[in-house]
DNA sequence: CAGCATCCAGGCTGATACTG
DNA sequence: CAGTATCAGCCTGGATGCTG
């Protein structure tokens, strides 16, 4: 039902664990760090729709501070997930769009999103049971 | 090449964004919070192998503090990802194992891990380019 | 418009000490 | 063995003010 069992996945997880002691070198840790940041995910999913300008992104996300938006955009850019294009108009205009790498990331991200929606009821139920037991 | 394009994924992402303003209710945010925590991932992947006792887990992971191990185990348990069994022996022994829900999570997690390994070179290259440009 | 610099409060986390 | 309790430091992240 899960498609893959623990045995099938073991090699991946072992590799991951083997390298976790050097976080900077661990691919999984890098991806996780990116995912860990809720702003990154929100930005990536917003850009999945279409390219956005700085102000557009800020309005689209709503409650992100300017500081966090700038900072997260730089990280995503540094990791090659998004491309930044400056149009030398007056006033200046900057467009952000997903790079091919960033678009390829949408696939595993979608798997996660689907799992989350499919299992959210189970998680909520588990929380209530746990709270009752405590 | 990615299997899914932005258009296909749009519905999921819109739903996600529609709910992000109430973090406690957003399924994706919940899953992300879990992933964000490196200890959670390490524990889940360790338990993917086989059930472990408390001390076993601590040794297997290595650099996790007792505090963080206990705390993260409680969270995972509260979310229904793992099952905790106490054997009333002397001295006491406690076993942790993945629940069916936890095992089902291995699938999307594996997708993420695979993407991470496949694209790590590209990410590293992007970082170097970015550093050079700056 | 698109950003940078600064300041500051709060939460996360590790270290340490103690218990059934 | 498998935890709980307490405390102190760090770093994240928001708010604010300023610039090309």
């Amino acid at each position: 039902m899960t498609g893959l069992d623990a045995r099938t996945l073991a090699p991946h997880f072992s590799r991951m664990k083997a390298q976790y002691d050097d976080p900077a070198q661990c691919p999984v840790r890098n991806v996780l760090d990116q995912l860990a940041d809720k702003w990154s995910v929100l930005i990536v999913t917003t850009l999945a729709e279409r390219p956005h300008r700085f102000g557009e992104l800020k309005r689209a996300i709503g409650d992100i501070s300017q500081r966090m938006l700038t900072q997260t955009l730089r990280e995503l850019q540094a990791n090659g997930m998004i491309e930044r294009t400056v149009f030398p108009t007056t006033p200046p205009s900057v467009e952000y769009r997903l790079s091919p790498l960033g678009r390829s990331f949408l696939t595993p991200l979608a798997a996660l999103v689907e799992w989350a929606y499919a299992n959210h009821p189970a998680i909520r139920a588990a929380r209530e049971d746990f709270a009752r037991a405590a």
Side-chain angles (χ1 to χ4, degrees), chain A residues 71-84:
Chain A
Q71 184 173 309
T72 310
L73 283 170
R74 291 293 168 280
E75 278 169 23
L76 288 169
Q77 189 190 355
N79 288 338
M81 303 288 284
I82 64 177
E83 287 158 6
R84 178 177 184 270

Side-chain angles (χ1 to χ4, degrees), chain A residues 34-105:
Chain A
Q34 198 70 240
L35 265 184
D37 188 16
K38 68 174 180 176
W39 300 129
S40 289
V41 177
L42 254 13
I43 291 174
V44 168
T45 56
T46 301
L47 292 181
E49 233 179 281
R50 58 176 174 79
H52 282 65
R53 292 178 52 182
F54 187 88
E56 262 185 325
L57 265 176
K58 182 151 168 42
R59 279 188 300 277
I61 295 178
D63 64 342
I64 188 173
S65 69
Q66 188 189 53
R67 172 196 169 86
M68 282 300 101
L69 181 54
T70 301
Q71 184 173 309
T72 310
L73 283 170
R74 291 293 168 280
E75 278 169 23
L76 288 169
Q77 189 190 355
N79 288 338
M81 303 288 284
I82 64 177
E83 287 158 6
R84 178 177 184 270
T85 311
V86 180
F87 298 100
T89 56
T90 50
S93 149
V94 180
E95 186 193 75
Y96 294 93
R97 65 167 65 228
L98 287 184
S99 67
L101 182 64
R103 276 194 297 280
S104 78
F105 182 66

